Amino acid sequence: MNTMTSSERFAAFMAGRPVDRLPAMEWAPWWDLTVKRWLADGLPAEAAGYEQLQAYFGLDKCLQTNIGGPRSALTPPPPGWGLGIMENEDDYEKLRPTLFPAPETLLPEAHFDYLKATHDRGDTLHFFTVEGFFWYPRVMFGIENHLYSFYDYPDLYKRICQDYADWLVKVFRYIFNRFRFDFMSFAEDMSYNNGPMISKDLFDEFLAPFYRQVIPVIHEYGIPVFIDSDGDITLAVDWYASVGADGMFPLERQAGVDVSTYIVKQPQMCFLGHFDKMCMKFGKEAMQREFERLLPSTLAGKVIPSVDHQTPPDVPIDYYRDYVSLLKEYTARVTHEGGGYLPCPAFVKE
């Protein structure tokens, strides 16, 4: 098989077609403390940026465009970490006129030029990120009040999400008509080490209706949708599959997740991450054992191995070089020459 561009490879993989190899990529930027460690280990200062680090280590480039949620410069910042910017309907009425900037103001023209130039080069995946229907109301209400809001302000919660969904549809149509991202993600972080922070009933009532409005719009452009949720997603995998999501990441091993069960439960979905970052500080043999643990799943389903969140600062740069070498070795083993895995909904044409 001929060598594919990054976009060709990812699209073929998501569509259930043969690939020359799996992507060898990191979806998340490196932790600042890790980069500081690597600079002390000899990393050149000019290689310390997000894109520059990917080039330095010889990874497939994977770059994120993140617009966050619909808050403008007129929206007051929260008074402290985890605190919200509103409590009730009156607060929302005051904030609402400042929340939804025109889509054409979100990204400068120079950024579209950059996206197109790097895409045409053939070595870069681009993904687009917005906040999800759990994350965005949490920012509005604050962490604690958000969890009460499902019971204290159910109608307001749904109004916030409906306003947001209407705005997202406009954003997606404007931006995706300018540039077709390789995939996109909704930032959610709805799960932690004991599973989802809400029940399925709450998900079905407060989140699912809005995902069902916006995901089909994204799929119109052939763009797969990933959900970014930390922690134990064993239950949430099925919930997000039910609203049309095509994949999830980062699959944090410390939360007890097991991708081998997910590819059986939702074989059409792609799972990105799941390489246990906690083994990296023990060196090459420990990392090779971890890749061997993942190999059966990468051969059986749609799994792209990658660090299951950001590389910790206790990993020396030479160890990370060993990680990249192993990543390239193991991703090259998976070609799916015969197909045999299911396409995600974004690539299924009626």
Side-chain angles (χ1 to χ4, degrees), residues 233-293:
I233 61 169
T234 302
L235 296 176
V237 163
D238 296 331
W239 303 355
Y240 282 105
S242 74
V243 297
D246 305 302
M248 296 191 75
F249 59 79
L251 285 73
E252 292 179 313
R253 186 63 176 156
Q254 293 302 298
V257 302
D258 185 354
V259 73
S260 67
T261 67
Y262 305 159
I263 61 176
V264 174
K265 290 170 57 164
Q266 300 296 339
Q268 81 287 354
M269 292 183 80
C270 175
F271 298 97
L272 170 60
H274 203 39
F275 182 94
D276 186 356
K277 61 182 174 289
M278 303 305 289
C279 79
M280 300 173 78
K281 64 184 177 183
F282 297 112
K284 189 170 184 177
E285 289 186 3
M287 290 187 282
Q288 186 161 15
R289 286 194 297 270
E290 179 65 3
F291 276 113
E292 286 291 330
R293 181 185 71 85

Side-chain angles (χ1 to χ4, degrees), residues 6-295:
S6 291
S7 290
E8 290 170 344
R9 181 179 301 114
F10 191 82
F13 183 71
M14 295 301 297
R17 299 193 301 268
V19 292
D20 58 343
R21 60 172 174 83
L22 292 182
M25 68 189 204
E26 295 277 34
W27 67 271
W30 288 267
W31 194 9
D32 59 342
L33 293 177
T34 304
V35 176
K36 183 178 179 181
R37 158 70 185 265
W38 289 348
L39 287 167
D41 287 344
L43 176 72
E46 61 271 18
Y50 177 31
E51 183 175 2
Q52 291 77 13
L53 275 167
Q54 297 186 46
Y56 178 79
F57 288 117
L59 292 160
D60 296 336
K61 294 188 181 69
C62 181
L63 303 178
Q64 179 185 43
T65 296
N66 188 345
I67 64 166
R71 294 175 295 283
S72 72
L74 298 176
T75 306
W81 175 253
L83 301 178
I85 59 175
M86 56 165 282
E87 289 187 10
N88 53 37
E89 291 93 339
D90 290 341
D91 293 339
Y92 184 65
E93 288 292 346
K94 294 174 184 176
L95 290 172
R96 190 175 182 277
T98 75
L99 291 176
F100 302 102
E104 58 269 21
T105 66
L106 295 173
L107 296 175
E109 191 65 28
H111 189 71
F112 284 106
D113 293 340
Y114 165 76
L115 292 171
K116 293 170 184 175
T118 49
H119 177 270
D120 291 346
R121 198 172 61 202
D123 65 350
T124 304
L125 289 174
H126 286 285
F127 72 108
F128 183 64
T129 299
V130 298
E131 294 169 356
F133 293 100
F134 186 81
W135 184 303
Y136 175 58
R138 177 174 57 199
V139 173
M140 298 293 287
F141 282 109
I143 292 173
E144 183 175 0
N145 287 342
H146 170 238
L147 294 174
Y148 285 115
S149 70
F150 295 100
Y151 306 95
D152 293 344
Y153 297 104
D155 292 337
L156 177 58
Y157 192 106
K158 294 172 186 176
R159 184 185 175 199
I160 289 170
C161 287
Q162 187 61 66
D163 287 345
Y164 183 38
D166 292 341
W167 180 76
L168 283 179
V169 169
K170 296 175 184 177
V171 169
F172 294 152
R173 293 204 181 281
Y174 173 76
I175 290 180
F176 297 159
N177 279 319
R178 300 290 308 278
F179 181 76
R180 183 194 177 281
F181 285 84
D182 295 291
F183 65 101
M184 75 157 295
S185 68
F186 284 92
E188 281 289 54
D189 287 5
M190 191 184 72
S191 299
Y192 283 91
N193 62 322
N194 289 318
M197 289 184 281
I198 59 174
S199 68
K200 185 178 186 299
D201 287 344
L202 289 180
F203 178 89
D204 288 344
E205 180 178 355
F206 289 92
L207 277 69
F210 307 103
Y211 274 113
R212 290 193 175 106
Q213 291 179 42
V214 302
I215 288 180
V217 175
I218 303 163
H219 283 170
E220 287 179 23
Y221 296 88
I223 299 174
V225 174
F226 282 70
I227 304 297
D228 172 3
S229 182
D230 300 350
D232 184 352
I233 61 169
T234 302
L235 296 176
V237 163
D238 296 331
W239 303 355
Y240 282 105
S242 74
V243 297
D246 305 302
M248 296 191 75
F249 59 79
L251 285 73
E252 292 179 313
R253 186 63 176 156
Q254 293 302 298
V257 302
D258 185 354
V259 73
S260 67
T261 67
Y262 305 159
I263 61 176
V264 174
K265 290 170 57 164
Q266 300 296 339
Q268 81 287 354
M269 292 183 80
C270 175
F271 298 97
L272 170 60
H274 203 39
F275 182 94
D276 186 356
K277 61 182 174 289
M278 303 305 289
C279 79
M280 300 173 78
K281 64 184 177 183
F282 297 112
K284 189 170 184 177
E285 289 186 3
M287 290 187 282
Q288 186 161 15
R289 286 194 297 270
E290 179 65 3
F291 276 113
E292 286 291 330
R293 181 185 71 85
L294 291 173
L295 184 59

Side-chain angles (χ1 to χ4, degrees), residues 317-330:
I317 193 170
D318 286 343
Y319 285 20
Y320 190 77
R321 290 192 181 100
D322 288 336
Y323 164 79
V324 172
S325 176
L326 288 166
L327 177 67
K328 291 180 178 180
E329 174 188 338
Y330 280 85

